[in-house]
Structures are given as structure tokens and as C-alpha cells.
Amino acid sequence: MNNSDVKILIVDDEQIVRESLTHWFEEDGYQVSSAADAFDVLKDLHPGKYDIMLVDIKMPKMSGLELLEKVKEIDPDCIVIIITAYASVPSAVQALKNGAFDYVTKPIDPDELSHLIKNAIKQKKLKEENVALKASIDEMFSFEGLIGESPEMKKVFELIKIVAPQDTTVMIRGESGTGKELIARAIHMNSPRRYYPIIPVNCGAFTETLLESELFGHEKGAFTGAQYRRKGKIEMANGGTLFLDEVGSVSQKMQVELLRVLETKQFTRVGGTEIVKVDFRLISATNENLERLVEEGKFREDLYYRLNVFTIYVPPLRERRSDIPVLANYFVQKFARQMNKPILKISDEAMEILLNHSWPGNVRELENAIERAMVVGKPPEIKPSDLPFHLEKVNSFESDSLEEVEKKHIQRVLSKYDWNISKAAQALNIDRVTLYNKIKKYGLQKN
């Protein structure tokens, strides 16, 4: 904000004060106007009309303190500096309570007032930058990476909108590669905790001992190699969100520890005695059948109910094939920017192959396939030969027996029609009984 952008209003019933201050601040390059009383100011005041007001406290009809209150009601961002020749502690306190930026007494020292104006501009600029940054964060991360137009994904988006503003514990369920962490981040970024961190922990990547240290941290000397005190992920998530991925792989000992910290929101670091209090939201994710693990006694029932307060199921890609084109094109745009490569679309033939693939690796597999195609492909579009399945298809068919070829072909057709036997049989040009016999013969199963 340059001086020429700053709009200052001087409100004083003394003409000589208005003229001298106007002259002074115009010399500094500000836009300056003046008013003789409060009613002149209020008749057409609106947010953003003035950046700074210099208001005399003692004026006829309406005092400067009354004007201050009304200005703050209309434009809370306007900075008001109170001026008076009758300084008193009560009036100063009242002015600051009502939102005045500062309080100066007559006779006014122009240099002191100029310094005060500069500080006010700095504060206003910082406030505006903070608001813009928050708006930018909100816009940037609200649903970043979550792509889908299918009814199944629209349902997921609705659930995210419902649960995000609450502080409820959420469990995200779905196969590997469906984007569970993206959904956890979307919940976090649309929650009141979004200005604090989201701390992800892949529970399946650690042994029991390492996971304990990872989650709770440790004190110096707690074990061999612990040369320093180290914060755990739970402590790092204070104020924000802790995301526990693959929570079904947590050992029974750690399940007890987790339940305790969820119930009490406090814990001790490994090797320590100091109680650490934390405030975090928990989101967990799993691709396992936790109900079966509970029945088998491998997962604590009380922890299961504590985690499973609100559930979001993420459908696999094969159950939402209508999302494949929009996802594929999103990844093409993404990698085109990253690789600075002018490939901006997918040929019809290549898209047909993408639509017919079974996608056992879900969205992650699709992203990897598009990345690979972008690396080997040439502008202007991705062709079938750029896709990894093309090579797999050629290589596998060269070495497979006739029965293997038939088995794979039937599997692909069944996946394409989501195991609709009638449609698959029609596509294969065989009757339903024959198809059932082939499924039984090859031991085919729906993924």
C-alpha cells in the first residue's frame, strides 16, 4: 500500500486544525479529506471509504467517542485515532475499549502523528495480508486432489461437508489407492482446525516399539540411541488433526495406549514421567475388515467403537468408472505442468483401454499409469502404446497358454460390466450357463 492509496479523513470542528493536518498529510502524499462534524461523516460512510480517521473527541451534536462506535459498526476495518485537547484517563481507556487505534493530545506534534499513521498503515496492511492468506488457504486446499463426478463420489463429498465442521472422530474405509488420505486432508482443511497441522502416521510402516516412539515421542536416554528428547506425532498434532492410516495393523498393546490417549487426551513420552496434555482430532483409515478382527479378538472392541463414530466409505475405481475420464484428464494436466510437456489429452483408443481396465490399484494405479504415459508419450496426445497395460498385454499374451488368455479375457470383461453376468455373457457372445461354467473352471472372483 503506497501513501497515495491511503485515504485519511480528519474530523474536527476547528477549521484551523482541519486545514493544518490536511496540509501536513497531503505533503506526505496521502489522500486527505475533512469533515466538521460526525453527521457529515456518517451520511454516506461505507466500508472501505476511508482507511484512517483522525477524530476529535469533543465536537458539537455528537462526540468523537460516539462517532467511533458508529464507524466501527459500519466499517470495522477503518482505523480510528482519537484527538483531544482534554485528555483524561477514563476517556482514553474508553476510546481504546471501543476500538480506537490510539489516542493523541493537542497540541499535536506533526512528526509524532506521522509516525502513528505509518504504524497504523503497517497494521492494516498486515491484517489485509492475513485475511488474503487465509482465503487463499481455504480456496487452495478445500478439496485439492479429490476428483469425481460419479454419484458415489458426490455422496463422499456430502459426507465430508457434513462431518468436517464437527470435531467428531472419523474412520475412512476403502481399498488401498482409493485416496483415503486425500479425504482425511479434505476433512481437516474444511474444519476449524485447518490453520493447525494435520499429522499423518502410517501405522503399518512401524514395528510396535517404533510406532510407540513415533506416536508418543521419547525422553533423552529412554533407549539406546535416544540422545535427545523428541516430540511424537500426537504432540505435533496439538490443535490440529492426527491421521492414523492402516489403523487395523496396530498391535494390541498399542491399541490400549491409543484408547487411553483418546479417552484422556494426555500421555507421557517413552521413558518419561511428565504428563503431556494434547488437543487433537483423530481421523483413521483402514482397508481391513475391522469387524472380523474384533470377532477374532485381534482388535479391541472399545477402540473400534471409539474410532468408528462417523464412517466414510471410499468406493474403488471399478465401482465408479464414470470418474475415470475426469481423473485421467486431471492427471494429464497435472503431469503436463510438472514435466512442461505439451500433451494435453488422451486419444479415444487409449481412453477406451483405461475404461476397460480392472484397476486393482485404484486411483493410485491410474495416476501412475498416466505419469508413465506422459513420460514415454509424444505430443499432442497419449496413445494406447504409451499405457503400461499395452506392454503387459503384449508380453503376457506372448507367453500365456490359450486357457490363460481366455481366463484373463473373461476376467476383464466381467470387470468391465461390474460382474453383470447377462451383459458379460452377451459381450463374450456365449450364454449365461457357459459363462458360469467358465467362472467356476478358472476360479474367477469379483475383486
Side-chain angles (χ1 to χ4, degrees), residues 6 112 115 143 215 326 328 348:
V6 179
E112 183 183 344
H115 184 68
F143 277 81
L215 287 176
V326 67
D348 293 342

Side-chain angles (χ1 to χ4, degrees), residues 364-428:
R364 187 181 297 136
E365 183 188 1
L366 173 60
E367 183 174 9
N368 293 341
I370 298 298
E371 183 176 7
R372 190 264 182 199
M374 292 292 290
V375 170
V376 302
K378 294 178 181 176
E381 62 184 13
I382 290 175
K383 294 183 170 54
S385 58
D386 302 327
L387 297 171
F389 327 118
H390 173 76
L391 290 177
E392 289 173 6
K393 188 176 176 182
V394 171
N395 292 338
S396 64
F397 276 69
E398 281 178 349
S399 58
D400 286 346
S401 66
L402 183 61
E403 285 196 337
E404 281 296 317
V405 171
E406 183 181 60
K407 178 182 175 182
K408 289 178 179 177
H409 182 58
I410 292 173
Q411 179 74 64
R412 274 196 298 274
V413 173
L414 285 167
S415 297
K416 177 181 178 181
Y417 292 102
D418 197 22
W419 277 71
N420 183 312
I421 299 298
S422 297
K423 291 182 180 177
Q426 188 177 5
L428 291 165

